[in-house]
């Protein structure tokens, strides 16, 4: 899951809103992998320390006293799914490119393949801000994926 950076720019396919998920995962991993837990806790805190009551209140699911650690994110490739190139983590000149480059997408399969999101020097250049429900925008045009001109329906 993409992480909002210290410059405030969200990762690819992420809305500019917080999620309680990082805090819940940090709590779950705290006794098994303290390093991962601290990195997740950092992400939850930097993204607004959101709580939710969607599946029962997260006030009972997140241990807010857990330690935090800057994750110092860099380049990564997740075969069959995603790649990210990142430079300048934690600086005002942070630059990152996220690329959906695989077909293993169980939780979220639609026309995302080829999607590219770019933040350069902390500013968005290309973001996946497609409408999820309304207005409807089916297919790759919902995302910032390359689409051959012949496939565009113009009228």
């Amino acid at each position: 899951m993409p992480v909002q950076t210290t410059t405030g720019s969200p990762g690819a396919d992420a809305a500019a809103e917080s999620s309680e998920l990082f805090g819940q995962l940090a709590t779950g991993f705290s006794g098994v992998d303290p390093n991962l837990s601290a990195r997740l806790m950092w992400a939850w805190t930097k993204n607004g320390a959101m709580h939710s009551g969607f599946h029962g209140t997260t006030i009972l699911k997140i241990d807010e006293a857990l330690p935090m650690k800057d994750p110092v994110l860099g380049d990564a490739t997740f075969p069959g799914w995603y790649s990210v190139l990142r430079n300048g983590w934690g600086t005002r000149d942070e630059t990152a490119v996220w690329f959906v480059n695989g077909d293993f997408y169980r939780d979220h399969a639609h026309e995302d393949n080829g999607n590219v999101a770019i933040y350069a020097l902390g500013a968005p250049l290309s973001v996946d801000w497609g409408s999820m429900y309304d207005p409807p925008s089916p297919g790759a045009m919902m995302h910032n994926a390359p689409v051959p001109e012949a496939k565009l329906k113009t009228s």
Side-chain angles (χ1 to χ4, degrees):
M1 176 174 274
V3 173
Q4 188 169 355
T5 67
T6 56
T7 58
S9 53
D13 207 16
E17 62 185 43
S18 183
S19 171
E20 67 280 6
L21 186 59
F22 294 127
Q24 291 180 72
L25 288 169
T27 301
F29 279 106
S30 63
V32 180
D33 189 338
N35 184 49
L36 175 59
S37 173
R39 295 172 75 204
L40 287 163
M41 202 63 183
W42 182 94
W44 178 70
T45 302
K46 290 293 182 178
N47 279 282
M50 179 183 175
H51 279 286
S52 169
F54 190 68
H55 292 290
T57 181
T58 56
I59 291 172
L60 301 174
K61 298 177 184 179
I62 298 174
D63 181 353
E64 295 187 23
L66 289 173
M68 293 185 299
K69 176 183 176 183
D70 186 331
V72 190
L73 298 177
D75 300 344
T77 295
F78 306 93
W81 178 59
Y82 206 70
S83 293
V84 60
L85 298 172
R86 187 184 306 269
N87 185 55
W89 170 260
T91 69
R92 62 176 254 242
D93 293 332
E94 182 172 352
T95 298
V97 176
W98 296 267
F99 177 48
V100 177
N101 58 354
D103 57 5
F104 183 72
Y105 227 21
R106 291 184 188 182
D107 66 330
H108 178 109
H110 54 262
E111 300 291 336
D112 282 24
N113 283 337
N115 175 314
V116 177
I118 305 168
Y119 281 77
L121 306 176
L125 294 182
S126 172
V127 294
D128 181 5
W129 204 266
S131 166
M132 189 163 171
Y133 299 111
D134 191 38
S137 182
M141 289 184 292
M142 174 179 161
H143 302 284
N144 52 346
V147 178
E149 186 175 5
K151 296 286 184 181
L152 297 175
K153 295 177 182 162
T154 57
S155 49

